[in-house]
Amino acid sequence: MKSIFETAREDDRLSTSIGMIQAGGLAELLKGEGEYTALFPTNEAYSGFAGEVLDAITDDRERLAGMILYHVLRGKLTVQELAQMEAIRTLQGDHLDITGPVAAMRLNDATIIQPDIECTNGIYHIIDRVLMPRAVEARVKKLV
């Protein structure tokens, strides 16, 4: 078994997320020790953003790191465990709202489309939307 980062890097559907993690300087976090739950948007999830919006996020390393950390939770949490919660704090500091049944669980407005991918340092779930921390979302809306 490999780390969260190494496992996700082998999935072609996640190449945009992996590129952002590398650009944000957070690959080591998801390769390292600890127990984490990562939420990886598919490449298609990013297609909902205008190019300028993605550029504005990726050009600001701090903003990019915040967006990435909004997709990472402390601890190894399966969808069964997440289903017992109404919200959870991310490593970025903001929280995600958790709704719906296990089979169609939503984190804010993203649906988990492939749950519980086990790794040496935690677990990850593949989601269909990019999660935006409220602070980043407010700044992005000004750009559009």
mmCIF file of all heavy atoms in Angstrom, residues 63-103:
data_model
loop_
_atom_site.group_PDB
_atom_site.id
_atom_site.type_symbol
_atom_site.label_atom_id
_atom_site.label_comp_id
_atom_site.label_asym_id
_atom_site.label_seq_id
_atom_site.Cartn_x
_atom_site.Cartn_y
_atom_site.Cartn_z
ATOM 1 N N ARG A 63 -3.204 31.091 -1.069
ATOM 2 C CA ARG A 63 -4.619 30.831 -1.370
ATOM 3 C C ARG A 63 -4.791 29.386 -1.853
ATOM 4 O O ARG A 63 -5.728 28.692 -1.462
ATOM 5 C CB ARG A 63 -5.106 31.808 -2.438
ATOM 6 C CG ARG A 63 -6.610 31.777 -2.625
ATOM 7 C CD ARG A 63 -7.046 32.733 -3.705
ATOM 8 N NE ARG A 63 -6.739 34.114 -3.359
ATOM 9 C CZ ARG A 63 -6.810 35.122 -4.226
ATOM 10 N NH1 ARG A 63 -7.173 34.917 -5.466
ATOM 11 N NH2 ARG A 63 -6.537 36.345 -3.857
ATOM 12 N N LEU A 64 -3.858 28.944 -2.706
ATOM 13 C CA LEU A 64 -3.905 27.570 -3.217
ATOM 14 C C LEU A 64 -3.753 26.570 -2.073
ATOM 15 O O LEU A 64 -4.515 25.608 -1.979
ATOM 16 C CB LEU A 64 -2.797 27.363 -4.260
ATOM 17 C CG LEU A 64 -2.678 25.954 -4.839
ATOM 18 C CD1 LEU A 64 -3.974 25.529 -5.524
ATOM 19 C CD2 LEU A 64 -1.510 25.883 -5.817
ATOM 20 N N ALA A 65 -2.798 26.810 -1.186
ATOM 21 C CA ALA A 65 -2.598 25.905 -0.038
ATOM 22 C C ALA A 65 -3.860 25.860 0.826
ATOM 23 O O ALA A 65 -4.270 24.787 1.273
ATOM 24 C CB ALA A 65 -1.393 26.358 0.785
ATOM 25 N N GLY A 66 -4.498 27.007 1.023
ATOM 26 C CA GLY A 66 -5.742 27.041 1.802
ATOM 27 C C GLY A 66 -6.839 26.221 1.145
ATOM 28 O O GLY A 66 -7.570 25.487 1.809
ATOM 29 N N MET A 67 -6.937 26.338 -0.184
ATOM 30 C CA MET A 67 -7.959 25.568 -0.891
ATOM 31 C C MET A 67 -7.679 24.069 -0.784
ATOM 32 O O MET A 67 -8.581 23.272 -0.563
ATOM 33 C CB MET A 67 -8.044 25.988 -2.355
ATOM 34 C CG MET A 67 -9.256 25.395 -3.040
ATOM 35 S SD MET A 67 -9.431 25.978 -4.719
ATOM 36 C CE MET A 67 -8.732 24.603 -5.587
ATOM 37 N N ILE A 68 -6.405 23.688 -0.912
ATOM 38 C CA ILE A 68 -6.043 22.266 -0.800
ATOM 39 C C ILE A 68 -6.346 21.755 0.612
ATOM 40 O O ILE A 68 -6.945 20.689 0.779
ATOM 41 C CB ILE A 68 -4.562 22.046 -1.160
ATOM 42 C CG1 ILE A 68 -4.326 22.378 -2.638
ATOM 43 C CG2 ILE A 68 -4.133 20.610 -0.843
ATOM 44 C CD1 ILE A 68 -2.876 22.594 -2.992
ATOM 45 N N LEU A 69 -5.932 22.517 1.632
ATOM 46 C CA LEU A 69 -6.142 22.076 3.018
ATOM 47 C C LEU A 69 -7.631 21.997 3.372
ATOM 48 O O LEU A 69 -8.016 21.300 4.304
ATOM 49 C CB LEU A 69 -5.402 22.990 3.993
ATOM 50 C CG LEU A 69 -3.872 22.874 3.935
ATOM 51 C CD1 LEU A 69 -3.217 23.928 4.818
ATOM 52 C CD2 LEU A 69 -3.417 21.471 4.327
ATOM 53 N N TYR A 70 -8.465 22.702 2.609
ATOM 54 C CA TYR A 70 -9.917 22.606 2.799
ATOM 55 C C TYR A 70 -10.430 21.238 2.340
ATOM 56 O O TYR A 70 -11.538 20.844 2.668
ATOM 57 C CB TYR A 70 -10.615 23.737 2.034
ATOM 58 C CG TYR A 70 -12.062 23.931 2.390
ATOM 59 C CD1 TYR A 70 -12.453 24.216 3.696
ATOM 60 C CD2 TYR A 70 -13.049 23.852 1.427
ATOM 61 C CE1 TYR A 70 -13.785 24.407 4.022
ATOM 62 C CE2 TYR A 70 -14.390 24.054 1.734
ATOM 63 C CZ TYR A 70 -14.753 24.324 3.038
ATOM 64 O OH TYR A 70 -16.065 24.518 3.360
ATOM 65 N N HIS A 71 -9.602 20.495 1.618
ATOM 66 C CA HIS A 71 -9.943 19.153 1.142
ATOM 67 C C HIS A 71 -9.291 18.057 1.987
ATOM 68 O O HIS A 71 -9.291 16.894 1.592
ATOM 69 C CB HIS A 71 -9.498 18.980 -0.321
ATOM 70 C CG HIS A 71 -10.294 19.781 -1.302
ATOM 71 N ND1 HIS A 71 -10.120 21.137 -1.464
ATOM 72 C CD2 HIS A 71 -11.261 19.414 -2.171
ATOM 73 C CE1 HIS A 71 -10.960 21.568 -2.392
ATOM 74 N NE2 HIS A 71 -11.662 20.546 -2.841
ATOM 75 N N VAL A 72 -8.707 18.430 3.140
ATOM 76 C CA VAL A 72 -8.020 17.439 3.982
ATOM 77 C C VAL A 72 -8.551 17.529 5.410
ATOM 78 O O VAL A 72 -8.689 18.614 5.974
ATOM 79 C CB VAL A 72 -6.485 17.654 3.977
ATOM 80 C CG1 VAL A 72 -5.789 16.573 4.799
ATOM 81 C CG2 VAL A 72 -5.939 17.672 2.552
ATOM 82 N N LEU A 73 -8.838 16.344 5.967
ATOM 83 C CA LEU A 73 -9.358 16.231 7.331
ATOM 84 C C LEU A 73 -8.346 15.471 8.181
ATOM 85 O O LEU A 73 -7.651 14.597 7.678
ATOM 86 C CB LEU A 73 -10.682 15.455 7.324
ATOM 87 C CG LEU A 73 -11.711 15.869 6.269
ATOM 88 C CD1 LEU A 73 -12.855 14.867 6.223
ATOM 89 C CD2 LEU A 73 -12.223 17.272 6.546
ATOM 90 N N ARG A 74 -8.297 15.796 9.467
ATOM 91 C CA ARG A 74 -7.424 15.064 10.375
ATOM 92 C C ARG A 74 -8.101 13.745 10.744
ATOM 93 O O ARG A 74 -9.289 13.708 11.024
ATOM 94 C CB ARG A 74 -7.172 15.899 11.639
ATOM 95 C CG ARG A 74 -6.078 15.336 12.509
ATOM 96 C CD ARG A 74 -5.589 16.307 13.564
ATOM 97 N NE ARG A 74 -5.177 17.617 13.086
ATOM 98 C CZ ARG A 74 -4.063 17.872 12.406
ATOM 99 N NH1 ARG A 74 -3.253 16.898 12.075
ATOM 100 N NH2 ARG A 74 -3.765 19.104 12.038
ATOM 101 N N GLY A 75 -7.346 12.664 10.713
ATOM 102 C CA GLY A 75 -7.891 11.353 11.057
ATOM 103 C C GLY A 75 -8.315 10.582 9.817
ATOM 104 O O GLY A 75 -8.463 11.148 8.739
ATOM 105 N N LYS A 76 -8.456 9.288 9.987
ATOM 106 C CA LYS A 76 -8.859 8.398 8.887
ATOM 107 C C LYS A 76 -10.353 8.144 9.030
ATOM 108 O O LYS A 76 -10.781 7.441 9.940
ATOM 109 C CB LYS A 76 -8.060 7.093 9.001
ATOM 110 C CG LYS A 76 -8.344 6.110 7.916
ATOM 111 C CD LYS A 76 -7.482 4.867 8.088
ATOM 112 C CE LYS A 76 -7.781 3.849 7.026
ATOM 113 N NZ LYS A 76 -6.977 2.651 7.212
ATOM 114 N N LEU A 77 -11.139 8.754 8.141
ATOM 115 C CA LEU A 77 -12.596 8.707 8.271
ATOM 116 C C LEU A 77 -13.252 8.072 7.050
ATOM 117 O O LEU A 77 -13.195 8.622 5.951
ATOM 118 C CB LEU A 77 -13.142 10.128 8.463
ATOM 119 C CG LEU A 77 -12.619 10.846 9.708
ATOM 120 C CD1 LEU A 77 -12.862 12.332 9.617
ATOM 121 C CD2 LEU A 77 -13.254 10.258 10.956
ATOM 122 N N THR A 78 -13.889 6.937 7.273
ATOM 123 C CA THR A 78 -14.641 6.287 6.202
ATOM 124 C C THR A 78 -15.956 7.036 6.002
ATOM 125 O O THR A 78 -16.342 7.854 6.850
ATOM 126 C CB THR A 78 -14.967 4.819 6.556
ATOM 127 O OG1 THR A 78 -15.842 4.836 7.693
ATOM 128 C CG2 THR A 78 -13.701 4.019 6.862
ATOM 129 N N VAL A 79 -16.662 6.743 4.909
ATOM 130 C CA VAL A 79 -17.963 7.404 4.714
ATOM 131 C C VAL A 79 -18.934 7.013 5.823
ATOM 132 O O VAL A 79 -19.765 7.812 6.211
ATOM 133 C CB VAL A 79 -18.589 7.142 3.319
ATOM 134 C CG1 VAL A 79 -17.867 7.907 2.249
ATOM 135 C CG2 VAL A 79 -18.684 5.705 2.990
ATOM 136 N N GLN A 80 -18.803 5.787 6.323
ATOM 137 C CA GLN A 80 -19.667 5.371 7.444
ATOM 138 C C GLN A 80 -19.449 6.285 8.650
ATOM 139 O O GLN A 80 -20.400 6.685 9.315
ATOM 140 C CB GLN A 80 -19.368 3.916 7.851
ATOM 141 C CG GLN A 80 -19.717 2.887 6.800
ATOM 142 C CD GLN A 80 -21.216 2.695 6.638
ATOM 143 O OE1 GLN A 80 -22.003 3.055 7.504
ATOM 144 N NE2 GLN A 80 -21.625 2.143 5.507
ATOM 145 N N GLU A 81 -18.196 6.617 8.923
ATOM 146 C CA GLU A 81 -17.892 7.500 10.059
ATOM 147 C C GLU A 81 -18.326 8.933 9.782
ATOM 148 O O GLU A 81 -18.883 9.600 10.653
ATOM 149 C CB GLU A 81 -16.395 7.441 10.378
ATOM 150 C CG GLU A 81 -16.004 6.076 10.943
ATOM 151 C CD GLU A 81 -14.510 5.831 10.945
ATOM 152 O OE1 GLU A 81 -13.856 6.059 9.899
ATOM 153 O OE2 GLU A 81 -14.011 5.409 12.001
ATOM 154 N N LEU A 82 -18.098 9.397 8.564
ATOM 155 C CA LEU A 82 -18.528 10.758 8.202
ATOM 156 C C LEU A 82 -20.050 10.888 8.293
ATOM 157 O O LEU A 82 -20.562 11.935 8.672
ATOM 158 C CB LEU A 82 -18.062 11.107 6.786
ATOM 159 C CG LEU A 82 -16.567 11.359 6.611
ATOM 160 C CD1 LEU A 82 -16.219 11.452 5.129
ATOM 161 C CD2 LEU A 82 -16.129 12.616 7.343
ATOM 162 N N ALA A 83 -20.758 9.811 7.971
ATOM 163 C CA ALA A 83 -22.231 9.834 7.977
ATOM 164 C C ALA A 83 -22.797 10.094 9.377
ATOM 165 O O ALA A 83 -23.932 10.538 9.515
ATOM 166 C CB ALA A 83 -22.783 8.522 7.422
ATOM 167 N N GLN A 84 -21.997 9.847 10.408
ATOM 168 C CA GLN A 84 -22.455 10.074 11.791
ATOM 169 C C GLN A 84 -22.332 11.540 12.205
ATOM 170 O O GLN A 84 -22.726 11.915 13.300
ATOM 171 C CB GLN A 84 -21.615 9.231 12.756
ATOM 172 C CG GLN A 84 -21.245 7.878 12.228
ATOM 173 C CD GLN A 84 -22.058 6.769 12.824
ATOM 174 O OE1 GLN A 84 -22.333 6.782 14.010
ATOM 175 N NE2 GLN A 84 -22.447 5.830 12.017
ATOM 176 N N MET A 85 -21.724 12.360 11.327
ATOM 177 C CA MET A 85 -21.458 13.760 11.660
ATOM 178 C C MET A 85 -22.323 14.696 10.823
ATOM 179 O O MET A 85 -22.781 14.333 9.761
ATOM 180 C CB MET A 85 -19.986 14.083 11.374
ATOM 181 C CG MET A 85 -19.010 13.198 12.086
ATOM 182 S SD MET A 85 -17.336 13.591 11.513
ATOM 183 C CE MET A 85 -16.480 12.115 12.033
ATOM 184 N N GLU A 86 -22.499 15.913 11.340
ATOM 185 C CA GLU A 86 -23.221 16.943 10.578
ATOM 186 C C GLU A 86 -22.255 17.911 9.924
ATOM 187 O O GLU A 86 -22.595 18.560 8.940
ATOM 188 C CB GLU A 86 -24.161 17.709 11.505
ATOM 189 C CG GLU A 86 -25.322 16.856 11.978
ATOM 190 C CD GLU A 86 -26.252 17.628 12.896
ATOM 191 O OE1 GLU A 86 -26.177 18.868 12.946
ATOM 192 O OE2 GLU A 86 -27.060 16.974 13.560
ATOM 193 N N ALA A 87 -21.058 18.026 10.491
ATOM 194 C CA ALA A 87 -20.033 18.924 9.948
ATOM 195 C C ALA A 87 -18.684 18.464 10.471
ATOM 196 O O ALA A 87 -18.612 17.741 11.471
ATOM 197 C CB ALA A 87 -20.299 20.365 10.366
ATOM 198 N N ILE A 88 -17.622 18.901 9.795
ATOM 199 C CA ILE A 88 -16.274 18.552 10.239
ATOM 200 C C ILE A 88 -15.325 19.687 9.871
ATOM 201 O O ILE A 88 -15.475 20.315 8.818
ATOM 202 C CB ILE A 88 -15.814 17.202 9.648
ATOM 203 C CG1 ILE A 88 -14.528 16.763 10.327
ATOM 204 C CG2 ILE A 88 -15.681 17.280 8.130
ATOM 205 C CD1 ILE A 88 -14.222 15.289 10.120
ATOM 206 N N ARG A 89 -14.372 19.935 10.755
ATOM 207 C CA ARG A 89 -13.368 20.982 10.512
ATOM 208 C C ARG A 89 -12.257 20.415 9.629
ATOM 209 O O ARG A 89 -11.802 19.305 9.821
ATOM 210 C CB ARG A 89 -12.789 21.459 11.845
ATOM 211 C CG ARG A 89 -11.837 22.626 11.686
ATOM 212 C CD ARG A 89 -11.450 23.241 13.019
ATOM 213 N NE ARG A 89 -12.567 23.797 13.758
ATOM 214 C CZ ARG A 89 -13.164 24.969 13.476
ATOM 215 N NH1 ARG A 89 -12.767 25.679 12.459
ATOM 216 N NH2 ARG A 89 -14.160 25.404 14.215
ATOM 217 N N THR A 90 -11.835 21.209 8.653
ATOM 218 C CA THR A 90 -10.754 20.806 7.747
ATOM 219 C C THR A 90 -9.421 21.322 8.286
ATOM 220 O O THR A 90 -9.394 22.144 9.211
ATOM 221 C CB THR A 90 -10.990 21.394 6.341
ATOM 222 O OG1 THR A 90 -10.790 22.812 6.417
ATOM 223 C CG2 THR A 90 -12.379 21.078 5.814
ATOM 224 N N LEU A 91 -8.310 20.894 7.684
ATOM 225 C CA LEU A 91 -7.001 21.402 8.092
ATOM 226 C C LEU A 91 -6.858 22.889 7.776
ATOM 227 O O LEU A 91 -6.030 23.572 8.359
ATOM 228 C CB LEU A 91 -5.867 20.624 7.412
ATOM 229 C CG LEU A 91 -5.671 19.175 7.845
ATOM 230 C CD1 LEU A 91 -4.391 18.611 7.231
ATOM 231 C CD2 LEU A 91 -5.624 19.020 9.351
ATOM 232 N N GLN A 92 -7.681 23.404 6.859
ATOM 233 C CA GLN A 92 -7.663 24.826 6.516
ATOM 234 C C GLN A 92 -8.289 25.637 7.651
ATOM 235 O O GLN A 92 -8.020 26.810 7.783
ATOM 236 C CB GLN A 92 -8.406 25.018 5.189
ATOM 237 C CG GLN A 92 -8.515 26.447 4.706
ATOM 238 C CD GLN A 92 -9.851 27.081 5.053
ATOM 239 O OE1 GLN A 92 -10.751 26.440 5.585
ATOM 240 N NE2 GLN A 92 -9.972 28.350 4.770
ATOM 241 N N GLY A 93 -9.138 25.004 8.473
ATOM 242 C CA GLY A 93 -9.743 25.686 9.617
ATOM 243 C C GLY A 93 -11.231 25.926 9.487
ATOM 244 O O GLY A 93 -11.928 26.095 10.478
ATOM 245 N N ASP A 94 -11.736 25.961 8.261
ATOM 246 C CA ASP A 94 -13.163 26.137 8.025
ATOM 247 C C ASP A 94 -13.821 24.757 8.150
ATOM 248 O O ASP A 94 -13.134 23.751 8.261
ATOM 249 C CB ASP A 94 -13.362 26.694 6.605
ATOM 250 C CG ASP A 94 -14.546 27.654 6.506
ATOM 251 O OD1 ASP A 94 -15.438 27.579 7.362
ATOM 252 O OD2 ASP A 94 -14.569 28.456 5.558
ATOM 253 N N HIS A 95 -15.133 24.689 8.125
ATOM 254 C CA HIS A 95 -15.777 23.377 8.232
ATOM 255 C C HIS A 95 -16.543 23.024 6.958
ATOM 256 O O HIS A 95 -16.859 23.888 6.155
ATOM 257 C CB HIS A 95 -16.703 23.325 9.459
ATOM 258 C CG HIS A 95 -17.968 24.107 9.274
ATOM 259 N ND1 HIS A 95 -18.027 25.469 9.468
ATOM 260 C CD2 HIS A 95 -19.201 23.732 8.873
ATOM 261 C CE1 HIS A 95 -19.250 25.886 9.206
ATOM 262 N NE2 HIS A 95 -19.985 24.858 8.841
ATOM 263 N N LEU A 96 -16.786 21.725 6.821
ATOM 264 C CA LEU A 96 -17.614 21.197 5.734
ATOM 265 C C LEU A 96 -18.914 20.701 6.347
ATOM 266 O O LEU A 96 -18.903 20.059 7.399
ATOM 267 C CB LEU A 96 -16.924 19.993 5.076
ATOM 268 C CG LEU A 96 -15.627 20.240 4.326
ATOM 269 C CD1 LEU A 96 -14.994 18.911 3.940
ATOM 270 C CD2 LEU A 96 -15.880 21.089 3.097
ATOM 271 N N ASP A 97 -20.020 20.973 5.676
ATOM 272 C CA ASP A 97 -21.312 20.423 6.100
ATOM 273 C C ASP A 97 -21.468 19.044 5.480
ATOM 274 O O ASP A 97 -21.152 18.853 4.301
ATOM 275 C CB ASP A 97 -22.461 21.329 5.637
ATOM 276 C CG ASP A 97 -22.396 22.693 6.311
ATOM 277 O OD1 ASP A 97 -22.133 22.738 7.528
ATOM 278 O OD2 ASP A 97 -22.600 23.705 5.618
ATOM 279 N N ILE A 98 -21.941 18.084 6.267
ATOM 280 C CA ILE A 98 -22.118 16.709 5.797
ATOM 281 C C ILE A 98 -23.607 16.394 5.780
ATOM 282 O O ILE A 98 -24.282 16.534 6.798
ATOM 283 C CB ILE A 98 -21.376 15.719 6.721
ATOM 284 C CG1 ILE A 98 -19.879 16.085 6.779
ATOM 285 C CG2 ILE A 98 -21.581 14.288 6.250
ATOM 286 C CD1 ILE A 98 -19.099 15.325 7.838
ATOM 287 N N THR A 99 -24.115 15.992 4.609
ATOM 288 C CA THR A 99 -25.534 15.672 4.486
ATOM 289 C C THR A 99 -25.727 14.428 3.637
ATOM 290 O O THR A 99 -24.822 14.022 2.908
ATOM 291 C CB THR A 99 -26.320 16.832 3.819
ATOM 292 O OG1 THR A 99 -25.719 17.131 2.559
ATOM 293 C CG2 THR A 99 -26.327 18.079 4.694
ATOM 294 N N GLY A 100 -26.913 13.857 3.726
ATOM 295 C CA GLY A 100 -27.288 12.740 2.862
ATOM 296 C C GLY A 100 -26.891 11.383 3.416
ATOM 297 O O GLY A 100 -26.120 11.281 4.359
ATOM 298 N N PRO A 101 -27.431 10.334 2.793
ATOM 299 C CA PRO A 101 -27.111 8.967 3.210
ATOM 300 C C PRO A 101 -25.712 8.569 2.737
ATOM 301 O O PRO A 101 -25.145 9.224 1.859
ATOM 302 C CB PRO A 101 -28.178 8.136 2.496
ATOM 303 C CG PRO A 101 -28.489 8.921 1.260
ATOM 304 C CD PRO A 101 -28.351 10.373 1.660
ATOM 305 N N VAL A 102 -25.190 7.494 3.296
ATOM 306 C CA VAL A 102 -23.849 7.013 2.945
ATOM 307 C C VAL A 102 -23.683 6.857 1.439
ATOM 308 O O VAL A 102 -22.666 7.253 0.872
ATOM 309 C CB VAL A 102 -23.554 5.674 3.672
ATOM 310 C CG1 VAL A 102 -22.280 5.044 3.162
ATOM 311 C CG2 VAL A 102 -23.470 5.911 5.169
ATOM 312 N N ALA A 103 -24.682 6.307 0.766
ATOM 313 C CA ALA A 103 -24.580 6.029 -0.675
ATOM 314 C C ALA A 103 -24.561 7.291 -1.536
ATOM 315 O O ALA A 103 -24.138 7.246 -2.690
ATOM 316 C CB ALA A 103 -25.727 5.127 -1.106
#
